[in-house]
Amino acid sequence: MIEVGMKDIQDAYEQIEPFVFKTPMIYSEPTSRRVGSEVWFKMENLQMGGAHKIRGALNSMLKLSPEELKRGVVTASAGNHSLAVAYAAKLMETSAIVCVPEYAPLTKRQKAEKYGAQLLVCGPHFEDAERKAFEVARETGRKFIHAYETPETIAGQGTVMLECFREWKDFDAVLVPTGGGGLLCGTAIACKAEHPETKVYGLQTEASAPWLRSFHEKTLHNDCAYAPTCADGLEGAIGWPNVELALTCVDDIFAVTEKSLREGIKWMSVMHNLMIEGAAATCLGALFERHEALQGKRVLCLISGGNIDPERFCEICRESYPWQKEGKSKGEVA
Amino acid sequence: MIEVGMKDIQDAYEQIEPFVFKTPMIYSEPTSRRVGSEVWFKMENLQMGGAHKIRGALNSMLKLSPEELKRGVVTASAGNHSLAVAYAAKLMETSAIVCVPEYAPLTKRQKAEKYGAQLLVCGPHFEDAERKAFEVARETGRKFIHAYETPETIAGQGTVMLECFREWKDFDAVLVPTGGGGLLCGTAIACKAEHPETKVYGLQTEASAPWLRSFHEKTLHNDCAYAPTCADGLEGAIGWPNVELALTCVDDIFAVTEKSLREGIKWMSVMHNLMIEGAAATCLGALFERHEALQGKRVLCLISGGNIDPERFCEICRESYPWQKEGKSKGEVA
């Protein structure tokens, strides 16, 4: 079992604090009104690089020896972790190679390149990118920086929740977008240590939900159906170590529909002038779909990232929903 | 001369604090790097209603007598003040009529209606809306809530700067999007009281810049050229009282090009996943255009609002700039 405790999260925060934003936490009046809960957003979409991933990447890389740093790093990710590693490598004056699958959004690739990383595009699935990254690590001696499955990454991502607790503690539930499960496990460990009554729910999209059966049946099940998804950050198969860890600290996993995701993206743009990515929009989706489970509760949503391709964002902005006024405003002409 | 002092701003904050967000202030690493200054954003685009205007509107309306509240209120505005008055009226359980010019963005009209206000669309210019609102006030006994030119409004808008100073004081310069001048005067009064070394610059768009000559020649000049603008919140003629007040506390006025504005909107979406409106983007425009004046300085940008029509936003998102990678990311296929 992966060993991560509150002490690791606290240590991680001490290490990374000078390099990351203390992102704002805001209360969302319109969301609260709509879903009958009290809803807060922890805005990691405003984090360096536009996502929480910099926390885990930095915590991993700050532990490297001077020799390891000299050889550089390599990683595989659908996007946000890649650009986090690229950014961390820039800060630490080393070089990074990042392997991404073909579906990695342009905006995430461009940011990784902007930070000076070398980008390798590696086939249709996340697994293709991962395979290539392992190969590069083996051949070049570069250190592989895992996106979600090491104590360092999990402790790093857990610092998000630590920051929230420094502002306020009494959440009834925390909603956590879940891909590999690093943010989920880090959050749950922090919650169980600091405020054990807080329920922690992992969120996936129905289009890619291996966590759902794996968690409920306590065995790894990557054999679910995979469909195209707006939540590129959550796409793909998972590993047993994080599921095993999650079974000790996470309360449940939900899967939300793509329709709800898209609605969540539009909702955040209309109500809060924010661009959020599909992964983060699972929080809105879960609130929109599960009024019963979260009804009347104080719910913290981890808005895990905001890196969405403008083209996709604009496509979603053109969709219309019942809570919007249709077409023209009704103002009378005076 | 309009009389507003620091005490009025402090009193205003005491009144409105329970109803407004303490909006986040963030340091922008990419903007700082690009322009060679240290740049902070005070994010009033995340304020209730998506703009700072709720502060002035609430401060004005909290001072109304029960009889005045019973008769309701009326206002004229290009958008953000209208929806602020609508929201304040909802909070205070009174009714609001808001008069807007035809160019008022759909998103602002819709939000005002959503808060329950009656919307009147009144001709092509801001002055048309204002004329209508005065007429409604006269005929119905509704109290007219001014958008920028009363001590209550100015003190209310000044609370933005008060909040910033509670976090940090040592800004060399503050950039303030300027339409009627309420936010500009409120900000300058707070600065001169709390940290007089801080320079306060008002920003307009070249497409509508009556402040420029009025301020420099110390006489009202509304006879400048007016062109279509992305900064709908800043459009239109101004009044002498706020210019007179600004001459006692504001350091200078700049006008920025429409091109820089648009670039500012795109920049904020790419770098920070934020939707900001044209008015707020004057801050980015000024930074992009005036490297010399602000070079090496600690600059606070008041991101005054985020209510931009999605259609316009998406149109701007499709524009490309030299700081972006063109077309496809360069990642090699591995």
Side-chain angles (χ1 to χ4, degrees):
Chain A
M1 173 97 72
I2 299 180
E3 297 262 343
V4 189
M6 193 57 187
K7 177 75 171 59
D8 300 300
I9 297 175
Q10 283 157 342
D11 289 348
Y13 198 53
E14 215 161 284
Q15 292 295 310
I16 70 173
E17 198 179 2
F19 306 105
V20 299
F21 281 145
K22 193 182 165 303
T23 54
M25 188 166 77
I26 65 166
Y27 179 75
S28 176
E29 197 271 330
T31 314
S32 301
R33 187 152 29 94
R34 169 167 174 182
V35 304
S37 308
E38 293 177 62
V39 181
W40 283 261
F41 297 133
K42 172 67 170 172
M43 298 201 288
E44 287 287 297
N45 54 321
L46 300 181
Q47 188 51 269
M48 309 297 298
H52 72 282
K53 289 283 191 179
I54 187 67
R55 296 170 183 265
L58 261 174
N59 193 44
S60 305
M61 288 174 60
L62 285 165
K63 291 194 161 51
L64 298 182
S65 69
E67 290 70 38
E68 286 173 320
L69 278 179
K70 209 152 65 185
R71 285 197 299 274
V73 298
V74 59
T75 195
S77 140
N80 281 333
H81 176 69
S82 290
L83 69 91
V85 167
Y87 180 71
K90 198 180 166 71
L91 277 179
M92 301 173 69
E93 298 175 20
T94 182
S95 82
I97 294 179
V98 299
C99 302
V100 300
E102 285 157 4
Y103 64 80
L106 197 58
T107 182
K108 295 179 181 178
R109 298 187 197 190
Q110 286 173 338
K111 284 186 187 175
E113 284 183 323
K114 214 179 173 74
Y115 292 138
Q118 187 191 342
L119 195 79
L120 299 177
V121 183
C122 316
H125 300 290
F126 174 71
E127 293 71 26
D128 301 313
E130 202 169 43
R131 200 174 312 114
K132 179 69 189 174
F134 287 143
E135 193 187 307
V136 170
R138 217 166 35 237
E139 287 172 4
T140 63
R142 286 173 181 265
K143 184 82 179 171
F144 179 81
I145 305 297
H146 205 288
Y148 54 86
E149 213 173 66
T150 64
E152 293 76 24
T153 313
I154 294 170
Q157 319 303 31
T159 63
V160 177
M161 198 62 222
L162 198 74
E163 264 183 23
C164 296
F165 279 146
R166 289 189 181 179
E167 284 197 55
W168 202 60
K169 276 202 203 308
D170 295 333
F171 302 105
D172 298 313
V174 184
L175 300 179
V176 191
T178 301
L183 183 61
L184 178 65
C185 290
T187 302
I189 290 162
C191 281
K192 299 309 157 185
E194 288 258 319
H195 197 264
E197 305 94 281
T198 303
K199 304 278 186 206
V200 177
Y201 300 121
L203 304 178
Q204 288 218 293
T205 158
E206 284 184 355
S208 168
W211 270 93
L212 205 59
R213 210 173 138 205
S214 300
F215 186 85
H216 291 145
E217 300 185 10
K218 304 185 172 52
T219 341
L220 192 64
H221 284 287
N222 275 317
D223 52 342
C224 54
Y226 294 93
T229 173
C230 247
D232 51 84
L234 307 185
E235 200 270 355
I238 59 177
W240 176 244
N242 278 2
V243 178
E244 187 184 27
L245 182 57
L247 284 165
T248 68
C249 52
V250 170
D251 292 279
D252 205 351
I253 305 282
F254 302 151
V256 310
T257 64
E258 284 291 309
K259 194 172 158 295
S260 303
L261 279 191
R262 298 176 76 94
E263 186 174 350
I265 292 170
K266 171 103 187 204
W267 176 266
M268 290 292 270
S269 84
V270 171
M271 298 298 168
H272 294 292
N273 305 315
L274 291 171
M275 295 171 79
I276 67 168
E277 58 181 276
T282 54
C283 295
L284 280 305
L287 284 166
F288 295 163
E289 290 178 20
R290 310 209 165 235
H291 292 192
E292 297 311 308
L294 305 167
Q295 191 76 40
K297 297 290 195 290
R298 291 159 298 187
V299 183
L300 173 66
C301 299
L302 302 190
I303 303 298
S304 51
N307 294 320
I308 182 169
D309 273 348
E311 207 170 312
R312 165 163 281 166
F313 180 74
C314 290
E315 180 194 308
I316 292 172
C317 278
R318 282 191 297 268
E319 295 172 2
S320 63
Y321 293 93
W323 44 266
Q324 297 181 271
K325 293 265 196 316
E326 295 296 321
K328 274 180 80 74
S329 154
K330 284 188 205 137
E332 300 156 40
V333 175
Chain B
M1 172 100 70
I2 299 178
E3 295 263 343
V4 189
M6 193 57 188
K7 178 76 171 58
D8 301 300
I9 297 174
Q10 282 157 341
D11 289 349
Y13 198 53
E14 216 162 283
Q15 292 294 311
I16 70 173
E17 198 178 3
F19 307 104
V20 299
F21 280 145
K22 193 182 164 305
T23 54
M25 187 166 77
I26 65 165
Y27 179 75
S28 176
E29 197 271 329
T31 314
S32 300
R33 188 151 28 95
R34 169 166 174 182
V35 304
S37 307
E38 294 177 61
V39 181
W40 283 259
F41 296 134
K42 171 67 170 173
M43 297 202 289
E44 287 287 299
N45 54 322
L46 301 179
Q47 187 51 269
M48 310 297 297
H52 72 283
K53 289 281 191 181
I54 187 67
R55 297 171 183 262
L58 262 174
N59 192 44
S60 305
M61 288 173 61
L62 285 164
K63 290 195 161 52
L64 298 183
S65 69
E67 291 70 39
E68 287 173 319
L69 277 178
K70 210 153 63 186
R71 286 197 297 274
V73 297
V74 58
T75 196
S77 140
N80 281 332
H81 175 67
S82 291
L83 69 91
V85 167
Y87 180 72
K90 197 180 165 75
L91 277 179
M92 303 175 69
E93 297 175 22
T94 183
S95 82
I97 296 179
V98 299
C99 302
V100 299
E102 285 156 6
Y103 65 80
L106 198 58
T107 181
K108 296 179 181 178
R109 299 185 197 191
Q110 287 172 338
K111 285 187 185 173
E113 284 183 323
K114 213 177 174 78
Y115 291 138
Q118 186 192 339
L119 194 78
L120 299 177
V121 182
C122 315
H125 300 292
F126 175 71
E127 293 71 26
D128 302 314
E130 201 168 42
R131 200 174 310 115
K132 180 70 189 175
F134 286 143
E135 192 187 305
V136 170
R138 220 168 32 238
E139 286 171 4
T140 62
R142 286 173 181 265
K143 183 82 180 171
F144 180 80
I145 306 296
H146 204 290
Y148 54 86
E149 214 174 66
T150 64
E152 293 76 23
T153 313
I154 294 169
Q157 318 305 31
T159 63
V160 176
M161 199 61 222
L162 198 74
E163 263 183 27
C164 295
F165 279 146
R166 288 189 183 180
E167 285 196 55
W168 202 60
K169 277 203 201 308
D170 295 334
F171 301 106
D172 298 313
V174 183
L175 299 179
V176 192
T178 301
L183 183 61
L184 178 65
C185 289
T187 303
I189 291 161
C191 281
K192 297 311 157 186
E194 288 258 318
H195 198 264
E197 305 92 282
T198 303
K199 304 278 185 205
V200 177
Y201 301 121
L203 304 179
Q204 290 218 291
T205 156
E206 285 186 354
S208 168
W211 270 94
L212 205 58
R213 208 173 140 205
S214 301
F215 186 86
H216 291 146
E217 300 187 7
K218 305 185 173 53
T219 341
L220 191 64
H221 284 286
N222 276 316
D223 52 342
C224 54
Y226 294 94
T229 172
C230 248
D232 51 84
L234 308 185
E235 199 268 359
I238 59 177
W240 175 245
N242 278 3
V243 178
E244 187 185 25
L245 182 56
L247 283 165
T248 69
C249 52
V250 169
D251 291 280
D252 206 351
I253 305 284
F254 302 151
V256 310
T257 65
E258 283 293 308
K259 193 171 158 294
S260 302
L261 281 190
R262 299 175 76 93
E263 185 173 352
I265 292 170
K266 172 102 188 206
W267 177 267
M268 289 293 269
S269 84
V270 171
M271 297 299 167
H272 293 292
N273 305 314
L274 291 170
M275 294 170 79
I276 67 167
E277 58 181 276
T282 53
C283 295
L284 280 305
L287 284 165
F288 294 163
E289 291 179 19
R290 308 207 167 237
H291 292 193
E292 297 311 308
L294 305 166
Q295 191 77 40
K297 297 290 195 291
R298 292 158 299 186
V299 183
L300 173 66
C301 299
L302 302 190
I303 302 299
S304 50
N307 294 319
I308 182 170
D309 274 348
E311 207 170 310
R312 165 162 281 168
F313 180 73
C314 290
E315 180 194 307
I316 291 171
C317 279
R318 282 191 298 269
E319 294 172 2
S320 64
Y321 293 94
W323 43 268
Q324 297 181 272
K325 292 264 197 313
E326 294 296 320
K328 276 180 78 75
S329 155
K330 285 188 204 138
E332 299 156 37
V333 176

